[in-house]
């Protein structure tokens, strides 16, 4: 409902999503202008006995600016209101019947109501109050000069104009409130997604801290005990092992200080060893007991801890989505170490990127079919997509790829390729 955009005035309802709503103000203004222009001339000359030239000038001044009111209703109001008052004064010079409305004939009231609707859709409350007060003062002031007395019907100009101003303002404020609510919901959803991403990153950082801390501790212990495990080490080699142990110990302490804020003292469960490929089997069995048939193809290969942990979390989130959105659906979980240069035997498995380095990869595949009709439908009507955000973040950090999306038969597929060598996922 803003009045200007990039310095140029906008038409009323120009921001509406539907085309017919954007065209509606122009159509109403055109109909009013075309209908009121000849009608005003006819009524002022035939019924009120006003001179034809004066009636034509008044009709143009009172009806033509209605087209301009679609873009700048306040400026159009200055012209139309002045013309209406001038027309009321001009009618004092002629003799008309007592039954006819004065100071504002019916045509002027109709045009002014349409103009007030436009004002209500565009201007602020303070401006609308001023417009209505000026209208009421002018209406009452002209009433003192009424040739046939002044009654309640002669206030229709003020009453109907005020109602139109009120309706237009109410519609505008309701539309503004809905727009602000939609913007706030969009911002809130973006913030929820960002918060979920940050929480997942923090969780991954804690898990990586555990993995790296283990290896750094092993390095420290091996360097400290090297002189006791190997007799006859030269002094220079002993000093080198001592330096390695000191550096590893210092690095471990700095890493713990930097990442210590990520460790919640109340999160006792995260102090346990992190899961890997070996724990996916029990996870599949628990899901099968809770939801339905799950075919599992395990993998006994030795993989880095970060890769095993990521594979476990991906399968965990995918199976949780099956339980929530497709209870009872037939699901297949497959783990395998693949060579990217070899043919892909499983049509559901992800296709390796030809531009990617030819390194061994762990393929994680979770495919479920549509839920059976007897399941009663999904446990949740919709989802936020935050689980997929976490999956993608885990895969991105270790330099892998993830492909997730619905299948034509109504099922869903999650496929990840996790490289088994160290990569820099920048």
């Amino acid at each position: 409902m803003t009045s200007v955009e990039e310095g140029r005035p906008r038409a009323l309802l120009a921001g509406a999503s539907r085309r017919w709503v954007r065209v509606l103000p122009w159509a109403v203004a055109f109909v009013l202008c075309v209908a009121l222009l000849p009608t005003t001339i006819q009524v002022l000359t035939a019924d009120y006995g006003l001179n034809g030239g004066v009636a034509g000038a008044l009709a143009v001044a009172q009806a033509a600016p209605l087209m301009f009111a679609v873009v700048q209703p306040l400026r159009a109001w200055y012209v139309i209101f002045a013309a209406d008052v001038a027309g009321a004064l001009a009618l004092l010079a002629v003799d008309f019947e007592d039954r006819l409305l004065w100071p504002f004939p019916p045509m002027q009231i109709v045009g002014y109501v349409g103009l007030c609707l436009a004002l209500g859709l565009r201007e602020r409350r303070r401006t609308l109050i001023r417009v209505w007060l000026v209208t009421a003062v002018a209406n009452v002031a002209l009433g003192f000069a009424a040739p046939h007395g002044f009654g309640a019907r002669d206030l229709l100009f003020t009453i109907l104009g005020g109602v139109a101003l009120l309706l237009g303002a109410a519609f505008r404020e309701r539309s503004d409130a809905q727009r602000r609510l939609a913007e706030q919901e969009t911002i809130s959803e973006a913030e929820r997604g960002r918060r979920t991403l940050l929480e997942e990153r923090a969780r991954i950082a804690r898990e990586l801290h555990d993995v790296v801390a283990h290896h750094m501790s092993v390095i420290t212990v091996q360097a400290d005990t090297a002189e006791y495990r190997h007799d006859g080490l030269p002094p220079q080699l002993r000093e080198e092992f001592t330096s390695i142990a000191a550096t590893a110990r210092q690095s471990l302490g700095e890493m713990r200080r930097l990442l210590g804020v990520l460790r919640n003292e109340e999160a006792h469960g995260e102090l346990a060893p992190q899961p890997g490929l070996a724990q996916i089997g029990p996870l599949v069995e628990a899901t099968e007991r809770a939801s339905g048939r799950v075919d599992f193809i395990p993998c006994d290969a030795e993989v880095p801890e970060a890769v095993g942990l990521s594979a476990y979390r991906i399968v965990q989130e995918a199976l949780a989505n099956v339980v929530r959105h497709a209870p009872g659906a037939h699901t297949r979980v497959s783990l395998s170490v693949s060579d990217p240069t070899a043919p892909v035997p499983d049509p559901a498995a992800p296709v390796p990127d030809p531009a990617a380095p030819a390194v061994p990869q762990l393929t994680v595949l979770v495919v479920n079919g549509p839920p059976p009709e007897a399941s009663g439908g999904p446990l949740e009507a919709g989802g936020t997509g935050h689980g997929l955000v976490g999956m993608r973040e885990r895969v991105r950090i270790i330099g892998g790829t993830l492909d997730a999306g619905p299948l034509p038969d109504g099922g869903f597929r999650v496929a990840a390729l996790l490289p088994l060598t160290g990569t820099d996922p920048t």
Side-chain angles (χ1 to χ4, degrees), residues 255-269:
M255 182 184 63
R256 284 173 175 170
R257 284 194 297 270
L258 289 174
L259 299 180
V261 294
L262 299 176
R263 177 70 66 189
N264 187 345
E265 295 180 358
E266 298 179 358
H268 304 291

Side-chain angles (χ1 to χ4, degrees), residues 59-410:
V60 172
Q62 294 169 358
L66 290 174
M67 292 296 298
F68 182 65
V70 177
V71 180
Q72 293 189 353
L74 187 58
R75 294 187 178 181
W77 176 81
Y78 288 125
V79 177
I80 293 176
F81 181 73
D84 288 346
V85 174
L89 296 176
L91 291 178
L92 291 176
V94 297
D95 187 18
F96 55 89
E97 297 180 9
D98 185 18
R99 62 180 178 83
L100 299 176
L101 285 177
W102 187 91
F104 305 108
M107 314 80 61
Q108 297 181 9
I109 295 177
V110 172
Y112 196 74
V113 168
L115 176 62
C116 287
L117 280 174
L119 283 169
L121 291 173
R122 171 60 54 81
E123 303 300 330
R124 299 179 179 179
R125 289 185 181 182
R126 182 177 300 179
T127 302
L128 299 181
I129 293 174
R130 290 175 179 174
V131 166
W132 186 82
L133 289 177
V134 170
T135 302
V137 169
N139 199 170
V140 173
L142 288 172
F144 289 103
H148 305 295
F150 191 74
R153 67 171 189 165
D154 299 319
L155 292 174
L156 286 176
F157 189 80
T158 299
I159 297 173
L160 296 180
V163 172
L165 290 173
L166 182 63
L167 291 177
F171 180 81
R172 174 179 57 83
E173 292 181 359
R174 179 176 178 272
S175 299
D176 290 344
Q178 290 179 338
R179 175 179 54 81
R180 288 192 296 269
L181 180 60
E183 292 175 354
Q184 187 61 41
E185 289 178 349
T186 302
I187 295 174
S188 299
E189 182 62 28
E191 285 296 324
R192 283 194 294 270
R194 179 176 177 272
R195 184 170 61 250
T196 300
L197 181 61
L198 292 177
E199 291 174 353
E200 188 64 24
R201 285 181 175 179
R203 183 177 179 181
I204 294 171
R206 290 194 296 267
E207 294 168 350
L208 290 178
H209 167 265
D210 294 340
V211 173
V212 175
H214 167 72
H215 292 296
M216 294 294 289
S217 299
V218 171
I219 293 174
T220 303
V221 171
Q222 289 180 337
D224 279 334
T225 61
E227 61 178 319
Y228 303 107
R229 292 182 290 104
H230 303 283
D231 296 331
L233 289 177
Q236 296 85 353
L237 194 56
R238 291 183 180 180
E239 291 180 2
E240 185 172 348
F241 275 120
T242 302
S243 177
I244 291 173
T247 302
R249 193 178 295 109
Q250 181 182 2
S251 300
L252 184 60
E254 291 178 356
M255 182 184 63
R256 284 173 175 170
R257 284 194 297 270
L258 289 174
L259 299 180
V261 294
L262 299 176
R263 177 70 66 189
N264 187 345
E265 295 180 358
E266 298 179 358
H268 304 291
E270 295 192 2
L271 299 178
Q274 299 296 337
L277 298 186
Q279 284 71 40
I280 294 180
L283 178 64
V284 170
E285 293 175 1
T287 304
E288 188 170 20
R289 289 193 300 268
S291 178
R293 178 184 171 188
V294 181
D295 296 335
F296 179 46
I297 302 177
C299 176
D300 298 330
E302 292 291 335
V303 300
E305 291 185 42
V307 174
L309 176 60
S310 296
Y312 178 88
R313 296 301 186 196
I314 291 171
V315 174
Q316 183 183 45
E317 181 63 32
L319 292 179
N321 287 336
V322 172
V323 174
R324 288 195 297 265
H325 303 293
H330 180 201
T331 307
R332 180 162 60 94
V333 178
S334 174
L335 303 174
S336 61
V337 175
S338 60
D339 183 354
T341 61
V344 180
D346 189 348
V351 178
D353 185 1
V359 298
Q361 302 181 63
L362 176 65
T363 302
V364 181
L365 184 63
V366 182
V367 182
N368 66 272
E373 296 181 359
S375 65
L379 302 179
E380 296 181 5
T384 61
H386 295 167
L388 291 177
V389 172
M391 289 186 195
R392 297 188 189 280
E393 186 65 12
R394 287 182 176 277
V395 171
R396 186 190 68 81
I397 286 178
I398 61 176
T401 59
L402 178 73
D403 182 21
L407 298 175
D409 63 353

